[in-house]
Amino acid sequence: IVVQLGLMRQGDVVGIENPEVHLHPSLQLQLTAALVAHAITGRRIILETQSDLVIRRVIRAVLEEDLPQADVRIYFTNLTESVKSEKGNFRAKFRYSTLCPINIDDRGRISNWPDGFLDEDVRESQRLLDIMYGGLDSGDDDG
């Protein structure tokens, strides 16, 4: 990936599937920072990722104004099921995917947060904090 980025010129496009695979989390962040740095120079980078770290690092680059928000598009795949009526009583179910844009405001808030998007990590962190510090229901006033 790094070599390909080095060979790219302004206006070139590269597609990368799961750049986070087999990388330590700190390396995921470093690779994403390199991708952002190359994107700033006019290279077009299309990523397919399941890494919340990659997405969060891109959002942080936008919030820190390293990367113009107008240059970033983040989509999630939504699985939809529909029923198509055929002749007689025959009904066929079809499942298909649609790409839905994620709307991020100038403060980094996502207004159309999709179910399951980056939330398992947040939930697990909250569970860990609740166990470590007693959670919100513990009556502990120490915050």
Side-chain angles (χ1 to χ4, degrees):
I1 292 173
V2 173
V3 170
Q4 182 61 46
L5 291 173
L7 295 173
M8 291 177 69
R9 292 176 284 194
Q10 186 175 3
D12 285 352
V13 179
V14 66
I16 304 168
E17 181 180 15
N18 298 317
E20 72 277 3
V21 172
H22 305 297
L23 290 181
H24 186 277
S26 65
L27 288 176
Q28 289 182 37
L29 292 173
Q30 289 177 32
L31 178 60
T32 306
L35 293 168
V36 166
H38 281 79
I40 291 168
T41 65
R43 296 167 176 100
R44 298 179 140 220
I45 300 169
I46 301 169
L47 294 179
E48 186 281 326
T49 184
Q50 297 178 31
S51 171
D52 59 333
L53 287 175
V54 170
I55 299 212
R56 289 178 187 177
R57 181 60 184 93
V58 169
I59 292 172
R60 182 165 61 96
V62 170
L63 292 174
E64 291 177 338
E65 299 180 356
D66 294 334
L67 187 61
Q69 185 169 358
D71 292 349
V72 175
R73 305 285 186 280
I74 300 175
Y75 294 87
F76 66 95
T77 304
N78 190 17
L79 186 61
T80 305
E81 186 173 296
S82 69
V83 177
K84 183 176 180 183
S85 184
E86 297 287 333
K87 297 177 183 176
N89 291 333
F90 176 74
R91 301 182 96 183
K93 288 185 179 180
F94 296 94
R95 299 177 101 188
Y96 58 93
S97 298
T98 55
L99 286 179
C100 303
I102 292 177
N103 301 319
I104 303 170
D105 69 13
D106 58 353
R107 292 178 58 199
R109 296 176 300 195
I110 298 173
S111 61
N112 61 332
W113 197 277
D115 289 336
F117 180 70
L118 303 180
D119 56 359
E120 284 306 315
D121 180 54
V122 172
R123 286 184 187 143
E124 191 61 27
S125 295
Q126 186 61 55
R127 289 180 195 119
L128 182 60
L129 289 170
D130 287 348
I131 291 169
M132 291 170 61
Y133 299 105
L136 298 175
D137 297 329
S138 69
D140 186 3
D141 293 330
D142 291 338

